[in-house]
Amino acid sequence: MIRLLSHWAMRTIFSLSLLVTGSVCLAQQPAPLITNVGHRSTISLNGPWHAIVDMYDVGYREYQTLKPSADSGFFRNAKQKNKSELIEYDFDKGESLNVPGDWNSQRDSLLFYEDTIWYEKSFAYHKKPNTRVFLYIGAANYISRVGVNGTVLCSHEGGFTPFDCEITSVLHDGENFAVIYVNNARRREGVPTVNTDWWNYGGLTRDVSLVEVPQNFIQDYFIQLIPGTRSQIAGWVKLSDAAAEQRVTVRIPELSIEKTFVTDKSGVADVSLSAPGLNLWSPEHPKLYSVHVESGVDKVPDEIGFRSIEVHGRDILLNGSPVFLRGVSIHEEAPYRPGRAYSEEDAKTLLGWAKDLGANFVRLAHYPHNEHMLRVADRMGLMVWSEVPVYWGIEWEDPKTLANAENQLTESITRDKNRASIVIWSVGNETPVSDARTKFLVSLIDTARKLDSTRLISAALQIHKREGTTRIIDDPLGAKLDVLGCNEYIGWYEGTIEATDSANWQTPYDKPLIMSEFGGDALSGFHADSDIRFSEEYQEKLYQHQTPMLDRISFLRGTTPWVLMDFRSPRRLLPGIQDYYNRKGLVSKQGEKKKAFFVLEKWYEQKKITP
Ligand code: GCB
């Protein structure tokens, strides 16, 4: 019944039910993925892994044709028993690749590689009583299959979200090995599809670890402030055993809160806490509380901030007050070195530059970034727009593509829903308007709302109607969003920079707008007249004309210009200037701030005073 209700009605019902029954469920049952692995008992498998480059899928074909469900193919990690035995591969003799890390940036020969690489790592493990062990993979781009000691245990599709597989039953006391097949061939029906403006970095791009948990463990939990309130915390805790009458305790020592709840027959306990005197999280005061979730012998600590994000007419309200989101878009591209970002250090650098800009908000485009980004954003006080890679024209009519997108969205929300920094889930970027596309995205919106009724939903739309100098944001998807997002490139792809001066914006929707992209390329250190493309002066002038136009949009409540830092892209071919880099960064890969950076910094300075 609840599913038929609108977002706002759902919220009202949730709030009412708290008042009436004292218990609130902010979301439906989560996906089976262990959350908050960083605060559990883990053994890192980062470091060098043996790697076999297998562009003809030799090792997988054997697996498929011989014994698809058992130990065959390279999953066996076979060794010659005698010199006459024919085995045509050997992990031990090959070169290694570092994990985490994309393979493209680790060897010149792999820069453009889009196919299969097999990873192998041996590790010692000493079995412990009453302990279950999961292999947790932060991200593997794009398709992966995981085997341990020759048994294939799980597979995954999607390059930007975590997954885990239980390996308890196949673990040996002593030496073990894991083999992971990763294939990053682009596919029409994939999410994203074959065409993107970012590098298709393949491999085990994020941390890999073993996670140890008790037999019955805290699989997941959701503990957030109820939107519109200042001291009502609610949510749920899910135990791995789907059994009723299990006790779960939530403690927030700093607030002297300790309360015990009991699970229903699915192993989920509703949580509801009253926290008078709560200091709310905000960019100015990013207060995080130590929150402890405990059940039986399992204890999971976390750092959680509590804040409320809502929309009222054309305003975005943070903790009940209107806020302007001074943002910037960011790709998961490593600062100072080639390749994908993956570390806490990378996150601190990228988000530190956003802070230098005067930002209180970042758009993590165009896919879920690594968990360090959200943890650091929580601590630094940056609100976050998180997105799934539903990018440009994907296969809207293919139910498998939809299921894949739904799954990536679910994994992303499952991992990050306790981060105060995340205020917006975005379901896509620049998706051309059609009935099939709208139906697809509405389904994602419904899923996001079902999983998390405490965040706002948006999408980066395209302008699809112009009347003279007026751009009208009337994409039918707008009706389903809380916040409109729109990408525009006046002065770069569209018209002249001066055309910005007469551009006006309208929308039939009574909703706030975030200008989710605008910008132009500049090669750092290339100085010329402001009408010369790719000069820092051109980009500077573009920003100088954009900001007055943005100031004229009465329903504008945020901006995330494109983009914080230059990033590698196969679509950027101009020698000497682009060299496979999109140069729309306000900062170069080496951290040099371009002239436009300072234009935006100044504008954001004003926006702090008169939003
Ligand atoms: C866009 C896309 C973004 C591109 C950017 C550009 O509209 O959303 O992914 O990188 O334009 O630079 O063309």
Side-chain angles (χ1 to χ4, degrees):
M1 198 264 291
I2 271 174
R3 257 180 247 166
L4 300 175
L5 300 170
S6 75
H7 190 35
W8 287 103
M10 275 172 76
R11 283 189 186 172
T12 312
I13 282 190
F14 285 139
S15 308
L16 286 176
S17 73
L18 177 85
L19 296 174
V20 175
T21 65
S23 106
V24 161
C25 177
L26 292 174
Q28 290 208 334
Q29 191 146 322
L33 174 69
I34 304 178
T35 55
N36 187 13
V37 290
H39 287 89
R40 300 186 189 241
S41 166
T42 56
I43 297 162
S44 172
L45 293 186
N46 288 349
W49 284 59
H50 293 125
I52 298 176
V53 179
D54 179 14
M55 59 191 276
Y56 276 31
D57 260 347
V58 175
Y60 189 63
R61 244 182 267 168
E62 188 207 336
Y63 164 71
Q64 277 187 314
T65 48
L66 292 184
K67 293 192 277 172
S69 60
D71 56 341
S72 59
F74 290 1
F75 293 110
R76 269 194 309 160
N77 187 18
K79 308 283 172 218
Q80 244 190 350
K81 288 188 201 72
N82 57 62
K83 294 223 158 140
S84 61
E85 193 182 1
L86 176 64
I87 298 175
E88 291 187 276
Y89 69 98
D90 188 341
F91 277 109
D92 297 343
K93 293 200 174 127
E95 284 180 68
S96 296
L97 285 170
N98 273 322
V99 174
D102 62 90
W103 60 56
N104 314 73
S105 311
Q106 296 193 45
R107 282 185 213 163
D108 290 347
S109 61
L110 296 178
L111 180 60
F112 292 96
Y113 188 67
E114 295 186 305
D115 226 308
T116 294
I117 292 193
W118 293 82
Y119 289 81
E120 185 274 338
K121 192 171 183 80
S122 302
F123 58 94
Y125 185 77
H126 296 294
K127 289 186 123 184
K128 296 168 191 156
N130 301 317
T131 301
R132 292 169 70 178
V133 185
F134 289 76
L135 182 60
Y136 182 89
I137 292 160
N141 190 33
Y142 170 79
I143 284 202
S144 52
R145 296 184 175 87
V146 180
V148 170
N149 294 334
T151 303
V152 181
L153 294 159
C154 61
S155 61
H156 186 260
E157 179 165 2
F160 303 98
T161 44
F163 60 99
D164 52 32
C165 19
E166 179 156 15
I167 64 171
T168 318
S169 64
V170 300
L171 265 184
H172 303 150
D173 195 44
E175 275 308 301
N176 295 272
F177 65 89
V179 172
I180 307 183
Y181 161 101
V182 186
N183 179 295
N184 75 329
R186 284 170 291 134
R187 43 208 95 212
R188 185 67 230 142
E189 74 288 0
V191 181
T193 181
V194 287
N195 196 12
T196 62
D197 188 23
W198 70 80
W199 208 263
N200 181 23
Y201 290 123
L204 296 172
T205 54
R206 295 182 189 159
D207 298 325
V208 176
S209 56
L210 301 178
V211 185
E212 296 174 315
V213 289
Q215 288 302 334
N216 179 21
F217 64 94
I218 298 160
Q219 182 185 304
D220 194 7
Y221 53 88
F222 189 24
I223 299 176
Q224 290 283 286
L225 193 71
I226 298 179
T229 74
R230 299 188 77 79
S231 59
Q232 296 302 320
I233 294 172
W236 47 259
V237 176
K238 174 167 171 47
L239 302 182
S240 59
D241 272 8
E245 302 298 324
Q246 306 181 76
R247 290 161 68 83
V248 170
T249 299
V250 178
R251 293 192 296 117
I252 310 180
E254 203 181 326
L255 295 168
S256 306
I257 287 178
E258 173 162 347
K259 212 169 160 187
T260 297
F261 307 92
V262 173
T263 59
D264 62 16
K265 62 180 188 317
S266 63
V268 177
D270 283 346
V271 168
S272 142
L273 303 167
S274 180
L278 189 67
N279 282 320
L280 298 184
W281 183 98
S282 70
E284 295 72 31
H285 304 286
K287 170 70 189 159
L288 301 177
Y289 286 93
S290 290
V291 176
H292 301 260
V293 181
E294 300 171 353
S295 183
V297 291
D298 203 11
K299 297 185 179 0
V300 183
D302 205 342
E303 299 285 309
I304 299 183
F306 300 98
R307 53 100 199 90
S308 159
I309 192 83
E310 301 167 278
V311 158
H312 237 248
R314 292 180 160 190
D315 280 333
I316 297 173
L317 306 182
L318 174 67
N319 297 330
S321 302
V323 64
F324 186 88
L325 304 179
R326 308 184 304 272
V328 66
S329 298
I330 305 182
H331 254 300
E332 195 184 43
E333 177 88 17
Y336 299 120
R337 62 165 201 280
R340 208 169 256 317
Y342 51 71
S343 67
E344 187 177 353
E345 245 358 85
D346 293 337
K348 285 183 183 162
T349 303
L350 292 169
L351 297 178
W353 289 337
K355 278 283 200 186
D356 290 350
L357 202 51
N360 60 6
F361 178 55
V362 288
R363 171 180 179 223
L364 302 185
H366 285 298
Y367 38 75
H369 286 211
N370 65 78
E371 196 172 344
H372 297 295
M373 288 292 272
L374 289 320
R375 295 273 177 185
V376 174
D378 263 13
R379 294 201 293 269
M380 278 191 177
L382 284 162
M383 291 178 276
V384 170
W385 160 309
S386 177
E387 195 157 290
V388 283
V390 174
Y391 183 88
W392 292 349
I394 70 170
E395 293 285 286
W396 306 116
E397 316 248 8
D398 185 339
K400 288 201 288 309
T401 303
L402 176 60
N404 180 357
E406 299 267 9
N407 187 49
Q408 294 191 42
L409 178 68
T410 302
E411 287 170 339
S412 159
I413 296 177
T414 301
R415 191 193 69 180
D416 293 333
K417 62 190 172 306
N418 290 309
R419 304 286 65 82
S421 50
I422 298 201
V423 292
I424 291 177
W425 300 118
S426 161
V427 294
N429 177 75
E430 286 187 2
T431 51
V433 176
S434 75
D435 288 350
R437 158 281 199 179
T438 303
K439 200 165 153 223
F440 186 109
L441 293 182
V442 167
S443 172
L444 293 186
I445 292 170
D446 289 346
T447 298
R449 291 203 197 288
K450 243 184 303 171
L451 292 172
D452 180 3
S453 65
T454 73
R455 285 3 185 255
L456 307 175
I457 310 284
S458 191
L461 308 172
Q462 287 172 303
I463 314 165
H464 86 295
K465 201 191 270 176
R466 286 182 190 73
E467 281 171 10
T469 54
T470 304
R471 274 101 182 138
I472 302 165
I473 305 173
D474 65 349
D475 184 322
L477 193 70
K480 289 284 185 176
L481 302 174
D482 298 314
V483 178
L484 306 170
C486 185
N487 297 353
E488 56 95 359
Y489 280 93
I490 308 176
W492 189 257
Y493 296 124
E494 191 204 323
T496 60
I497 291 182
E498 286 73 18
T500 323
D501 303 342
S502 53
N504 291 307
W505 292 79
Q506 282 177 12
T507 180
Y509 300 114
D510 185 29
K511 300 189 177 193
L513 167 70
I514 293 175
M515 204 60 94
S516 38
E517 287 181 27
F518 60 89
D521 290 55
L523 179 65
S524 173
F526 171 42
H527 296 288
D529 286 347
S530 60
D531 57 345
I532 308 283
R533 292 270 181 166
F534 299 103
S535 69
E536 285 200 35
E537 285 70 16
Y538 188 103
Q539 191 192 38
E540 178 188 38
K541 182 173 161 195
L542 187 147
Y543 274 75
Q544 281 165 343
H545 285 251
Q546 281 281 333
T547 51
M549 177 197 76
L550 294 166
D551 274 331
R552 292 196 302 274
I553 307 174
S554 62
F555 49 100
L556 187 79
R557 293 295 179 273
T559 46
T560 50
W562 194 252
V563 57
L564 179 69
M565 190 187 73
D566 295 349
F567 60 94
R568 202 165 230 161
S569 165
R571 298 167 52 86
R572 306 298 164 175
L573 308 172
L574 188 63
I577 300 277
Q578 294 177 312
D579 299 318
Y580 295 114
Y581 274 90
N582 183 313
R583 302 279 182 202
K584 293 193 185 68
L586 293 163
V587 174
S588 73
K589 281 273 280 188
Q590 298 314 317
E592 297 131 345
K593 291 173 177 155
K594 304 180 195 173
K595 292 182 103 177
F597 182 99
F598 301 101
V599 178
L600 189 65
E601 185 192 8
K602 201 164 147 212
W603 189 59
Y604 279 167
E605 200 50 50
Q606 288 164 18
K607 286 282 174 206
K608 285 182 197 165
I609 306 158
T610 43

